[in-house]
């Protein structure tokens, strides 16, 4: 066929949450690359005005997760809610992957460990209770088994 298509857990059907998952994966993989994370972990020693890795991880977590200051709109549509959950899961999965990476420095692992502990300690209430509980269990496990995640189409940065 040679046609590019967005990977989906629904086969060849358009799945907005799959699109959100793939797009978020591209961003999260870049942000949480072990070398970039190490630069963030050490850059404060070179320039006090730059953020630390812990600050970056905390800011992204606060923007994405309910109970951490984020989580989005008060009344999202079901499609928006599914996309938001996909992005949140990619974030927690990315943190777990970085924590388990043999390329991550001890300073990076320490910052990621603290971020995962913060996620595991988030208040668990409201409509997102079951989903947040799943994220908290993933964060608390400091995953050594890397969960499968949808990958972008071959030869296409989307």
């Amino acid at each position: 066929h040679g046609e590019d298509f967005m990977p989906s857990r629904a086969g060849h059907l358009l799945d907005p949450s799959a699109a959100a998952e793939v797009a978020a994966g591209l961003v999260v993989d870049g942000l949480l690359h072990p070398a970039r994370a190490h630069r963030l972990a050490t850059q404060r020693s070179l320039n006090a005005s730059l953020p630390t890795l812990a600050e970056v991880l905390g800011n992204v977590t606060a923007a994405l997760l309910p109970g951490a200051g984020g989580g989005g709109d008060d009344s999202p549509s079901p499609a928006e809610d599914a996309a938001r959950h996909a992005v949140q899961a990619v974030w927690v999965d990315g943190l777990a992957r970085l924590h388990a990476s043999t390329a991550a420095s001890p300073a990076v692992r320490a910052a990621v460990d603290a971020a995962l502990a913060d996620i595991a300690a988030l208040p668990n209430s409201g409509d997102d209770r079951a989903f947040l509980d799943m994220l908290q269990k993933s964060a608390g496990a400091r995953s050594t088994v890397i969960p499968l995640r949808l990958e972008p189409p071959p030869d296409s940065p989307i």
Side-chain angles (χ1 to χ4, degrees):
H1 290 118
E3 297 175 15
D4 285 340
F5 68 94
M6 181 68 60
S8 170
R9 290 184 176 85
H12 290 285
L13 298 175
L14 177 61
D15 179 359
S17 64
E21 181 178 341
V22 170
L26 292 170
V27 173
V28 169
D29 288 349
L31 180 64
L32 297 180
H33 186 278
R36 177 171 285 119
H38 182 72
R39 288 191 300 273
L40 281 168
T42 59
Q43 71 182 3
R44 177 67 65 88
S45 66
L46 302 173
N47 184 338
S49 68
L50 296 174
T52 65
L53 177 59
E55 290 168 342
V56 171
L57 299 179
N59 288 340
V60 174
T61 298
L64 292 178
L65 296 174
D73 193 334
D74 287 337
S75 56
S77 71
E80 291 168 330
D81 203 40
R84 181 171 53 90
H85 283 168
V87 171
Q88 291 168 338
V90 167
W91 177 245
V92 173
D93 175 65
L95 290 171
R97 286 171 180 257
L98 180 56
H99 191 271
S101 171
T102 58
S105 69
V108 167
R109 281 202 186 98
V112 172
D113 192 59
L116 289 169
D118 289 346
I119 292 168
L122 287 174
N124 189 348
S125 62
D127 293 338
D128 285 331
R129 184 176 192 157
F131 182 75
L132 186 56
D133 185 50
M134 182 272 303
L135 288 180
Q136 289 170 325
K137 286 178 182 170
S138 294
R142 312 296 196 276
S143 185
T144 54
V145 175
I146 304 300
L148 293 177
R149 188 175 79 215
L150 295 172
E151 300 297 332
D155 302 323
S156 174
I158 301 204

